[in-house]
Amino acid sequence: MADRATQIFNFYETTIANSDFSAGSTSFEVASTPTVDGTNGITSATTGNADTWIYLVIDPDSTSNREIVVVKTHTSGSTTFSDVERDYDGRQEAAGATADTGVSHGIGTTVRMAVLAQHIQDQNDRVATNITSLTTAISDFNTNGAAAIAAINASSATAMINNATDGTAITVDTAADYVLVYDATDSTAKKVYVSQVAPSVEVHPFLVMGA
């Protein structure tokens, strides 16, 4: 199948109207337009956007004439379907019809939106494609992340210090503010409180005044 969503809507059933849908024809008219809620028309289908296409079954209750078609062009609210791909699953061709032409369906023939294997297959393909894309993205992230980490050096640390927000005017809270240190015990960078590095020292005023 294909990586596409296609449109699906509930309780749509109508009949072919105005003229027969002949074998090989790529457009037909119906008695009523499909809706999303019984009132509002579905999204218009356009040939260039497979996510807007519509699977329909013509004569679904006939074991010999049922035919799956894909409607690629339809204006919301219209009763005309065009750019129709015929005999989508090859059922009629397997029964002897010319390839891709389907069979003739007369005025009054039932047209139904039915949940089909093609809907599920399309979604499976869509999921598989997204999983592949996600796997690639994760792999790229891991590769690029590892490369970025490996590229950190002394100049990186210098740049981090030089580009940090200037805090030279703040009062350092030795009990709550952090600094980074390299712990040689287990070769790991760690955040520690300032007080762990340089505990606060009370300076007696007489020591300050004497010189």
Side-chain angles (χ1 to χ4, degrees):
M1 292 298 100
D3 169 15
R4 61 191 181 202
T6 70
Q7 297 193 70
I8 188 167
F9 31 88
N10 293 325
F11 313 122
Y12 180 62
E13 184 169 310
T14 186
T15 56
I16 293 174
N18 297 329
S19 62
D20 293 347
F21 186 25
S22 303
S25 176
T26 57
S27 65
F28 66 102
E29 293 185 50
V30 292
S32 60
T33 188
T35 67
V36 294
D37 55 8
T39 302
N40 297 296
I42 64 171
T43 300
S44 294
T46 56
T47 301
N49 184 357
D51 287 347
T52 65
W53 296 354
I54 308 160
Y55 287 111
L56 292 174
V57 184
I58 313 297
D59 208 358
D61 300 317
S62 170
T63 57
S64 59
N65 286 343
R66 62 170 61 118
E67 179 183 350
I68 297 173
V69 300
V70 180
V71 176
K72 299 180 180 179
T73 301
H74 170 259
T75 301
S76 181
S78 169
T79 54
T80 299
F81 296 116
S82 54
D83 193 12
V84 178
E85 184 173 349
R86 301 295 301 267
D87 192 25
Y88 190 73
D89 66 347
R91 183 179 301 270
Q92 293 302 332
E93 180 184 356
T98 301
D100 305 320
T101 64
V103 294
S104 294
H105 305 283
I107 294 174
T109 300
T110 298
V111 178
R112 181 181 300 157
M113 159 61 72
V115 177
L116 302 168
Q118 284 73 19
H119 287 117
I120 309 303
Q121 290 166 350
D122 283 353
Q123 289 304 309
N124 286 345
D125 287 346
R126 196 172 183 84
V127 169
T129 298
N130 288 336
I131 288 175
T132 299
S133 298
L134 179 60
T135 300
T136 300
I138 291 173
S139 176
D140 289 346
F141 176 80
N142 289 337
T143 300
N144 295 336
I149 292 171
I152 295 174
N153 51 31
S155 62
S156 303
T158 300
M160 182 176 68
I161 293 295
N162 290 336
N163 293 323
T165 301
D166 185 359
T168 55
I170 70 170
T171 299
V172 177
D173 184 344
T174 59
D177 291 345
Y178 296 107
V179 293
L180 283 175
V181 298
Y182 178 77
D183 187 351
T185 302
D186 57 6
S187 302
T188 305
K190 297 177 180 178
K191 68 177 183 180
V192 299
Y193 290 118
V194 174
S195 60
Q196 292 176 258
V197 178
S200 57
V201 177
E202 183 177 353
V203 179
H204 196 282
F206 289 111
L207 295 176
V208 175
M209 293 174 62

